[in-house]
Amino acid sequence: MNSYTQNALDEVKKLGAKKRVETFLAKIKEHDSQVGSFIEVYDNWALEQATKIDEKISKSIPLGIMGGLVVAVKNNVSIKGKRLTCGSKMLENYISPYNSTAIQRIIEEDGIVIGSVNLDEFCCGSDCLKSALKVTSNPLDLSRVAGGSSGGSSAAMTAGFCDLTLSEDTGGSIRCPASFCGVSGIHPTYGTVSRYGVSDMAMTFDQLGPIAADSLGNAILLDAISGFDEYDSTTFNSKKTNYVSSLNKLPDTLKIGIAKQFFVGCDNEVEKSIRKTITDLSKNNPKIVFEEFDFPLIENALPIYYLLVFSEFASAMQKFDGLRFGNKWNENDGTDLASIVSAVRSKSFGTEVKRRIILGTYITTKEHQDAWLTKALQARKLLVDEFDKIFNQYDLLVGPTMPMVAWKKGELSSDGLQMYLADVLTVPANCAGLPAGTVNVGNCPTNKMPIGFQVIGNRGSDELVLQFMSAIEKISPAYPFKPVF
Ligand code: GLN
């Protein structure tokens, strides 16, 4: 089967890694001013890395899992000696003192890191318009958003600026932008990938994962970065799986659930396209049974997610106090601690980050904790238990990734709420730490924007999710992408 990522791997051997990097660099130079995906491009370093790969190839030394593929990295992941801005003024000039485990592994496995890409400030958002550094546009229609918070990653993929991206998903930040830009991605089971060296948004939700052109790209990156890490005690202490070699081994017989609630508030065209894909999949895989079921508790996922994320986020942001981490204070900021902290935070954080810090602080105060935080934690437990029961009946759940296609910039109000609602279908998986992937299954007939199909698995069934994503690609290949330039 013609696979975008397979072609890229073949090209490395035929053309050489350096030639490919040069081509990507030229493309970025020519077009990224329109898209706004890169925060920094590592021209020299990428060429150096490519030269090493070419040397290996010329000496017939086998390449690692990454096979010389070119990777762009969401700028909340530490790369030694490079800026780690998190899309915020607060960290605009901060240089990472060490490599995150994921980056270390990508390099060891012969991946080439080409640059860092844009994100909503500290990952707060679904449109990539909330970065303090730049606006990212959807390469398929520049008047529309690329999705968020990993909009720089999805835009870079669709624009053809790299082979793969390393991204992060707390509540949909991989799946939303992948869906909006017509590419694919997976949020792995919580604990699959080390978070060491990743700037945390909400520790009990955050997970690194790929945004790629296809399931092979997702599987390759996940093979490279997953596995136990002594620096992150939440990583699984289990044997490493091989996602690539199992990609085409989808079991014949599966029972797949479709929650009725997945279509509540979903745009008509999105629903039609998802239902058509389900029909096509059943025709292609006669032993796979699809069944609709009722999942009323899932309606609580959005409030659970936001209440807990606000709380964890407010706590994660406390370290940026103008003294030790991030922007430092100066004599105009006041003379006492409270004024200094307040002055530095006021000028260095954007509106959405401030909103979440204020709400999170409110929710976690002693007086209000029981009314909000404790209830959200209890509800999260109920949701997790319900998912466990559901996965006793079904192998996978499927439905739309996002209830709509990429919206036009300015179309959603900036008060937060409308945007929070857009996450209704992605956050349930994060609340329960479940693997969830998205694959493109076509375009909306009226505006031609891509529609993403979501596959959610039980904890630890990332392999099955990827296998199913690969089966979808057989009936609905996502590429070639057609950026506007
Ligand atoms: N839209 C979600 C939010 O704003 C996405 C966050 C994420 O996954 N990093 O919270």
Side-chain angles (χ1 to χ4, degrees):
M1 196 200 150
N2 176 29
S3 151
Y4 183 99
T5 308
Q6 189 57 54
N7 289 346
L9 287 167
D10 296 344
E11 250 185 46
V12 176
K13 296 204 177 115
K14 262 188 259 149
L15 298 179
K18 192 157 171 237
K19 187 100 212 85
R20 294 188 78 245
V21 167
E22 282 165 354
T23 310
F24 281 129
L25 291 174
K27 228 176 182 180
I28 296 167
K29 209 167 188 180
E30 193 177 347
H31 298 298
D32 199 39
S33 54
Q34 286 169 279
V35 181
S37 52
F38 279 86
I39 288 181
E40 243 183 315
V41 182
Y42 310 140
D43 305 55
N44 293 338
W45 186 40
L47 289 168
E48 263 170 44
Q49 297 172 75
T51 308
K52 284 189 195 150
I53 305 280
D54 286 341
E55 274 167 23
K56 277 195 177 177
I57 296 174
S58 71
K59 290 182 189 153
S60 304
I61 301 172
L63 295 182
I65 298 165
M66 295 293 300
L69 294 178
V70 173
V71 189
V73 180
K74 186 172 181 176
N75 202 210
N76 66 336
V77 183
S78 302
I79 305 173
K80 191 175 177 183
K82 306 291 181 204
R83 280 162 71 214
L84 178 72
T85 68
C86 293
S88 180
K89 282 212 179 86
M90 183 58 99
L91 289 174
E92 203 170 353
N93 300 309
Y94 176 74
I95 307 286
S96 291
Y98 61 90
N99 273 336
S100 55
T101 298
I103 287 295
Q104 193 62 37
R105 290 180 179 176
I106 286 174
I107 296 170
E108 280 164 12
E109 291 293 346
D110 293 325
I112 299 170
V113 181
I114 195 166
S116 59
V117 281
N118 201 22
L119 66 160
D120 286 305
E121 185 175 7
F122 284 107
C123 307
C124 298
S126 309
D127 57 7
C128 215
L129 300 180
K130 294 180 184 59
S131 165
L133 307 186
K134 54 164 55 181
V135 163
T136 300
S137 305
N138 195 314
L140 301 170
D141 174 349
L142 297 171
S143 69
R144 291 180 186 267
V145 302
S149 61
S150 317
S153 307
S154 59
M157 275 311 307
T158 304
F161 295 156
C162 55
D163 295 315
L164 281 175
T165 75
L166 174 63
S167 303
E168 167 275 346
D169 191 311
T170 304
S173 279
I174 284 178
R175 289 158 289 154
C176 160
S179 165
F180 281 7
C181 290
V183 284
S184 75
I186 179 168
H187 162 271
T189 300
Y190 186 82
T192 303
V193 183
S194 168
R195 289 176 299 110
Y196 179 69
V198 182
S199 161
D200 50 339
M201 177 195 186
M203 279 203 297
T204 70
F205 294 82
D206 303 336
Q207 194 62 187
L208 290 181
I211 290 183
D214 48 30
S215 51
L216 178 62
N218 282 298
I220 289 174
L221 194 79
L222 218 49
D223 266 336
I225 64 177
S226 62
F228 176 72
D229 178 18
E230 60 177 330
Y231 295 123
D232 179 355
S233 58
T234 63
T235 50
F236 296 135
N237 198 355
S238 56
K239 200 172 114 297
K240 255 190 109 166
T241 13
N242 191 334
Y243 301 105
V244 173
S245 65
S246 65
L247 201 54
N248 287 318
K249 296 183 184 152
L250 182 74
D252 302 333
T253 347
L254 288 174
K255 197 169 168 200
I256 297 186
I258 308 152
K260 285 181 193 146
Q261 284 74 7
F262 286 164
F263 296 107
V264 177
C266 186
D267 281 358
N268 263 344
E269 293 301 344
V270 174
E271 175 166 355
K272 253 197 237 163
S273 163
I274 300 300
R275 290 202 185 275
K276 179 177 179 309
T277 307
I278 294 173
T279 312
D280 293 349
L281 280 165
S282 341
K283 279 188 205 145
N284 238 27
N285 306 274
K287 288 193 193 150
I288 297 183
V289 177
F290 291 89
E291 188 176 277
E292 241 176 90
F293 72 102
D294 198 21
F295 188 177
L297 210 67
I298 204 166
E299 286 167 6
N300 296 300
L302 202 64
I304 295 171
Y305 170 82
Y306 272 101
L307 288 170
L308 295 179
V309 164
F310 290 160
S311 311
E312 293 184 24
F313 183 68
S315 151
M317 292 297 109
Q318 274 182 13
K319 59 181 164 290
F320 302 114
D321 55 7
L323 303 168
R324 278 192 66 196
F325 294 103
N327 279 346
K328 303 288 181 295
W329 68 290
N330 62 42
E331 56 284 0
N332 302 326
D333 293 329
T335 47
D336 62 294
L337 186 63
S339 340
I340 289 172
V341 174
S342 152
V344 175
R345 286 163 75 98
S346 303
K347 61 187 175 196
S348 309
F349 284 139
T351 310
E352 183 57 30
V353 167
K354 284 180 188 154
R355 184 185 350 256
R356 294 186 189 210
I357 293 175
I358 291 168
L359 288 167
T361 309
Y362 175 83
I363 292 163
T364 47
T365 51
K366 211 165 170 223
E367 307 89 289
H368 300 111
Q369 228 176 52
D370 284 346
W372 301 102
L373 179 63
T374 314
K375 285 228 172 76
L377 286 167
Q378 286 163 343
R380 185 182 197 178
K381 171 84 175 74
L382 289 177
L383 184 64
V384 169
D385 292 347
E386 192 63 20
F387 264 120
D388 286 348
K389 279 190 216 145
I390 287 167
F391 281 115
N392 279 332
Q393 285 184 53
Y394 300 109
D395 300 296
L396 293 168
L397 305 183
V398 298
T401 305
M402 297 296 288
M404 72 284 275
V405 297
W407 53 80
K408 285 203 178 254
K409 291 176 200 161
E411 207 175 324
L412 287 199
S413 85
S414 55
D415 66 5
L417 255 188
Q418 261 194 326
M419 195 148 323
Y420 299 165
L421 282 174
D423 297 336
V424 65
L425 300 171
T426 50
V427 298
N430 303 75
C431 288
L434 306 173
T438 182
V439 186
N440 176 264
V441 289
N443 299 326
C444 174
T446 47
N447 53 33
K448 303 283 173 269
M449 294 313 285
I451 294 170
F453 186 101
Q454 182 169 222
V455 184
I456 306 176
N458 198 0
R459 227 158 293 118
S461 69
D462 307 51
E463 245 178 54
L464 181 62
V465 172
L466 283 165
Q467 287 162 351
F468 200 74
M469 287 164 67
S470 164
I472 299 171
E473 282 161 11
K474 292 193 176 107
I475 57 165
S476 183
Y479 50 87
F481 312 117
K482 294 199 176 67
V484 290
F485 35 81

